[in-house]
Amino acid sequence: MKSVRLRLLLLALVPLSVLMPLVLILAMTRWNADYDAVLIAKVDSDLRIAEQYLGHLQTGSANGMLSLAQSTAFEAALKEGPEAVSLFLNSRRQQLQLDFLEYLPLSAVNGAQGKWPVVQTAARGQLASEIDIFSAADLALLSPALQERAVIPLIETEAAAPTQRKIEDRGMVVHTAAPVIMAGHNGVLRGGLLLNRNLDFIDTLNALVYLGDEEDGNRQGTATLFLEDTRVSTNVRLFEDVRALGTRVSAAVRNVVLEEGRTWLNRAFVVNDWYISGYLPLTDSFGSRVGMLYVGFLEAPYNTAKTEAYWTVVGLFLLVLALSAPLFLWLAKGIFAPLERMTHTMKKVELGDLAARNGNVGSRDEIGQVAAHLDTLLDQIQDRDQKLRNWAEELNTRVDQRTAELRDANQKLEETYKQLVMSEKLASIG
């Protein structure tokens, strides 16, 4: 009976305790993959917003430059002379939020300053705005202050590619040029915004992409501008109030983005933690890959949420298992009890109690029918047993009668035999 009970328990609990966990594992694996895909889609969307903001910055700078190049005030300054032009451009530079702004006559365009494609494009009468990398010497020609601001000491960073460099003294600049076509004054109006240490730019970008993060103090969303693989503007923190300027991107990301020119959308190690990250390659006016635009958010909160979801599912499964096992046993009692009752009845019959019966087992299903049929069979067996006993008693009686008759006949035979012997003896005597 124990084997039947065990088999019934296994039949009910194996699907629940073995197959269901397998189904849960497969479902949770699929859910985990979909969850990761949603995170990647989110960071991809964030990266597109950051890219649009950078493009908007370039477009705004270009439109402002073009308006200035075509303004009557600028034309009047050109007529007054170089000193008036310098004063005029210096005042308008602050309005356009540029770090440098200068007028290049065609003679200068054809000289040293003409090496820039944006300047050549403007000299041909077209507006141009690109990301360009200025050397320390280029920045020094514009302003010693810009040259100083661009210098960023490099910080040794885990997982970054090896380098012998100690500082980054180049500048990443939003480089814009507009054509100047006026009577007697043809040339190029050139300006730029240095992005090194430009925290207003990166904080505005981060606030646009991750609205509310900085207000909450979580800083889960981060944004960074890279000159090649070096952070030149970022809100990623080394410590609570120290930005990670001068730290470098991991070698894996560098190879994919800068070497292969592909966008990175995956988890990545950022300074001191893992982030769901998006890296977009940036090209200069020469068509070379010179940097990266990054946005990303901490992976840890989402891992915590996934872990909590896993344990919630596991806990609910164990709770269901703990509740269903007693419930199954209670429901299975209707099967076990009649079977155990029939077993007990059969043991009594084996011991000679032919009057033992199952009686009403409280069930009209197949098991109840088997119990009733067993009682019927036991009734038939008891009836046949009684008939056999009666026939055996009758047979014994007849045997006893025949035995008595044989005994009487033997006794008469012995007496007859004795008489014959006596007669023979008498006859022999004469």
Side-chain angles (χ1 to χ4, degrees), residues 360-402:
N360 185 7
V361 296
S363 175
R364 295 183 179 180
D365 56 9
E366 290 83 353
I367 295 178
Q369 294 174 8
V370 170
H373 185 61
L374 180 60
D375 284 348
T376 301
L377 292 177
L378 290 176
D379 289 340
Q380 295 176 2
I381 291 172
Q382 187 179 23
D383 182 60
R384 292 180 181 179
D385 180 75
Q386 187 61 44
K387 290 181 179 179
L388 287 174
R389 290 178 183 275
N390 293 337
W391 184 79
E393 291 178 357
E394 181 180 356
L395 183 60
N396 288 334
T397 302
R398 291 183 178 180
V399 169
D400 291 340
Q401 290 177 355
R402 295 295 295 174

